[in-house]
Amino acid sequence: MADFIKFLGTAGARVVVSKQVRASGGIWISLDGTNLYLDPGPGALVHSLKSRPKLDPATLDAILLSHKHLDHSGDINAMIEAMTEGTFRKKGTVFAPAEALKEKVILEYVRKYPEKIEKIRTGKTYRVKNISFTCPIRHIHHGAETYGFKIKGKRTTISYIADTKFSSGLIKAYKADIIIVNVLRIDPSPLEHLCLEDFIKLVKGIKPKTAIMTHFGMKMIEAKPWEIASRLSKELKIEIIAAGDGMEIKI
Ligand SMILES: [Zn+2]
Ligand SMILES: [Zn+2]
């Protein structure tokens, strides 16, 4: 099977999620025959099943949750049940921060269905089928226990830089061929999120082959992120993509 990243949602801010200005289902990654779901926000199950070709959650090997916030976790229980074929087959692993488990973002009764539920932390390498991943640093500026993921396949490394405030440590932590960055804001703000300027710093520092922006707030959407991406691609001479709902990127 070909490797790909598919966006089942690209919404970031609460208002964008609440009004479904963009879908909020999160990201499906198929890499080296391993199927991962990152941050199954509200609509993850519906958008997976509706996607063409259909993405069947029963084929997932793992679900990775970066943090407890609803825009990332809203459909996690539905996706766990779907991964385990409606709870009929004990399979798959769920990786989540301890805080999300403590706050019962994953319901107690659902926890017995996957093969394993693992608390994520820095400094450990996790294996899922043919890939491995790490949570390089804890995103300390996000008001919740938050991690991103650096996923290593046979030929490709993909970093997912989840919600965070900018720090230069992110550049070192997330060196990869492809980076997926949650760029919620266009302008800098005291809120605990990355803005466009931060994204540019990350791209210049990491120098990936491809950099993908997603998880947009309202102002970013109004500024037409696809136009920003095409301008930045020329300026930085790196392929920059603004993710769209249902967009599939071949790896
Ligand atoms: Zn978020
Ligand atoms: Zn968040």
Side-chain angles (χ1 to χ4, degrees):
M1 195 170 60
D3 294 340
F4 67 89
I5 300 168
K6 185 148 188 172
F7 290 86
L8 288 316
T10 55
R14 281 194 180 94
V15 61
V16 180
V17 176
S18 302
K19 296 190 184 298
Q20 290 288 292
V21 178
R22 292 267 186 128
S24 51
I27 307 166
W28 181 299
I29 297 180
S30 284
L31 184 62
D32 297 331
T34 309
N35 292 329
L36 307 173
Y37 207 104
L38 273 52
D39 283 349
L45 180 58
V46 169
H47 288 292
S48 302
L49 293 171
K50 269 191 178 171
S51 106
R52 290 291 170 268
K54 179 167 100 175
L55 294 173
D56 183 355
T59 65
L60 284 170
D61 298 296
I63 298 171
L64 280 58
L65 180 67
S66 67
H67 65 297
K68 67 180 179 181
H69 288 159
L70 182 97
D71 51 332
H72 301 255
S73 68
D75 255 11
I76 195 158
N77 293 292
M79 287 302 275
I80 293 171
E81 289 210 357
M83 175 171 73
T84 59
E85 294 175 24
T87 75
F88 282 105
R89 241 185 97 207
K90 198 171 178 70
K91 64 177 276 281
T93 308
V94 179
F95 297 91
E99 185 192 46
L101 292 164
K102 191 165 157 256
E103 290 196 21
K104 300 192 172 28
V105 164
I106 298 165
L107 297 168
E108 295 273 11
Y109 85 92
V110 171
R111 294 183 192 190
K112 59 181 178 289
Y113 303 133
E115 215 157 31
K116 202 169 160 194
I117 300 213
E118 184 136 12
K119 285 179 192 153
I120 49 175
R121 58 172 177 84
T122 58
K124 197 175 167 193
T125 301
Y126 302 96
R127 276 175 209 296
V128 182
K129 211 170 163 185
N130 304 320
I131 62 101
S132 65
F133 77 91
T134 56
C135 303
I137 49 170
R138 186 164 166 180
H139 296 193
I140 43 173
H141 304 292
H142 191 60
E145 186 187 356
T146 307
Y147 305 91
F149 306 111
K150 186 171 168 178
I151 301 160
K152 206 165 176 284
K154 286 185 193 112
R155 294 173 308 275
T156 313
T157 313
I158 304 168
S159 283
Y160 169 59
I161 307 179
D163 299 7
T164 183
K165 214 171 162 61
F166 181 81
S167 75
S168 53
L170 294 171
I171 293 173
K172 206 174 150 219
Y174 288 107
K175 292 251 181 226
D177 304 310
I178 300 171
I179 60 170
I180 304 166
V181 188
N182 288 355
V183 191
L184 196 120
R185 307 212 25 117
I186 185 144
D187 299 313
S189 92
L191 292 174
E192 296 163 323
H193 280 289
L194 295 169
C195 68
L196 189 59
E197 199 182 297
D198 302 326
F199 173 69
I200 295 169
K201 279 191 256 178
L202 288 170
V203 174
K204 284 181 173 167
I206 294 174
K207 297 185 188 66
K209 284 192 198 107
T210 305
I212 308 164
M213 296 188 275
T214 186
H215 211 59
F216 301 123
M218 209 57 203
K219 292 243 166 66
M220 261 309 266
I221 294 168
E222 282 164 6
K224 301 181 178 154
W226 59 93
E227 287 181 4
I228 297 173
S230 98
R231 178 169 54 78
L232 285 178
S233 294
K234 285 180 203 121
E235 266 174 46
L236 304 174
K237 296 186 174 50
I238 284 173
E239 183 185 34
I240 314 270
I241 297 170
D245 292 344
M247 183 186 273
E248 183 179 312
I249 295 166
K250 299 249 186 297
I251 301 172

